[in-house]
Amino acid sequence: MALRAVTYFGVVVPPFKQDKLMAGSKTIRFVIAGNIISKKNNQQATAVRVYAKKFLFEQQKKNGVVTLNDALKAVNMVKGKMRGNAKYLEFLKKYSPIIFAQMQEWSKRLSDKGLIFPLTKSSCTIRLYIKDRYRRDTLNAMQTISDLLVDAGVIVDDDDLHFNPVYGASARYYEELVHNIAFISLSFRL
């Protein structure tokens, strides 16, 4: 029986297309212990002023003075840029080698079966074990972990073509754990 489109609140929703891994798929697991720093909540806006400064110095050198029009033109040359703050960058620096070492172990174990990193197509399940009572944003943590997997060379990219579907869950283990734990399962076909 063919699946049909359904309508919800005036929007026609077609049947969902989803690749299934089926027989022959493998699952490898990675684990990290510690705080998962949110990329989104820890970004900083910075102004890129290099071209504006250079323009103003050239105008002053050429004309001996900077006019109001020069200053306005320089203001329009300033561009905004988002960058991860120091905590997020420290997180990547600390955990990329840990994920890389675990990837090397998986490579040793499964290279004879044809495992080659970075994975070009995989699905992912991320389980977050939270040691305290603080509220956590599971989706932000999953995004950080996805970026970490790309940074460490485990997956090609975390876009929908290469890293899909992605599932996540979190649970609290107050007074049961010493560290937060992220348990990452990647499934793929060899």
Side-chain angles (χ1 to χ4, degrees):
M1 182 165 124
L3 296 174
R4 298 182 322 165
V6 293
T7 303
Y8 289 99
F9 304 103
V11 176
V12 178
V13 180
F16 194 74
K17 298 177 184 177
Q18 183 173 352
D19 291 336
K20 298 193 186 223
L21 293 174
M22 299 197 196
S25 65
K26 295 283 182 204
T27 299
I28 59 176
R29 292 170 177 86
F30 297 85
V31 64
I32 55 177
N35 287 332
I36 308 297
I37 303 298
S38 171
K39 176 182 178 180
K40 184 175 102 179
N41 293 341
N42 285 296
Q43 286 187 330
Q44 294 175 327
T46 59
V48 180
R49 303 176 301 226
V50 175
Y51 304 112
K53 282 183 175 182
K54 185 177 177 183
F55 172 75
L56 289 174
F57 284 125
E58 288 173 359
Q59 291 302 314
Q60 185 177 20
K61 191 175 184 181
K62 186 169 106 179
N63 302 331
V65 68
V66 174
T67 66
L68 177 62
N69 285 338
D70 292 339
L72 292 173
K73 188 172 182 180
V75 167
N76 288 328
M77 296 171 117
V78 175
K79 302 292 180 201
K81 178 181 169 183
M82 297 298 286
R83 68 173 183 88
N85 77 1
K87 285 184 182 179
Y88 176 73
L89 298 174
E90 286 172 22
F91 171 84
L92 288 179
K93 188 176 179 180
K94 177 181 178 181
Y95 288 103
S96 284
I98 293 169
I99 293 293
F100 185 79
Q102 294 176 26
M103 178 183 73
Q104 295 296 80
E105 181 60 32
W106 284 115
S107 188
K108 276 191 256 178
R109 291 184 191 183
L110 296 174
S111 62
D112 61 331
K113 303 251 193 277
L115 176 62
I116 298 171
F117 288 104
L119 299 174
T120 56
K121 176 77 175 148
S122 64
S123 65
C124 181
T125 301
I126 299 171
R127 290 195 180 121
L128 302 173
Y129 297 76
I130 301 169
K131 70 171 181 152
D132 49 38
R133 293 183 184 177
Y134 294 112
R135 290 179 13 176
R136 307 270 191 233
D137 190 325
T138 303
L139 292 176
N140 284 350
M142 290 172 57
Q143 182 182 20
T144 297
I145 291 168
S146 300
D147 291 341
L148 178 64
L149 294 172
V150 172
D151 192 59
V154 175
I155 58 175
V156 171
D157 200 351
D158 59 353
D159 64 14
D160 64 314
L161 296 175
H162 300 97
F163 195 61
N164 193 16
V166 178
Y167 302 103
S170 57
R172 297 187 184 201
Y173 291 83
Y174 180 65
E175 295 185 348
E176 296 177 56
L177 294 175
V178 177
H179 301 287
N180 293 322
I181 299 170
F183 188 73
I184 307 148
S185 301
L186 295 176
S187 298
F188 52 93
R189 250 185 259 162
L190 289 176

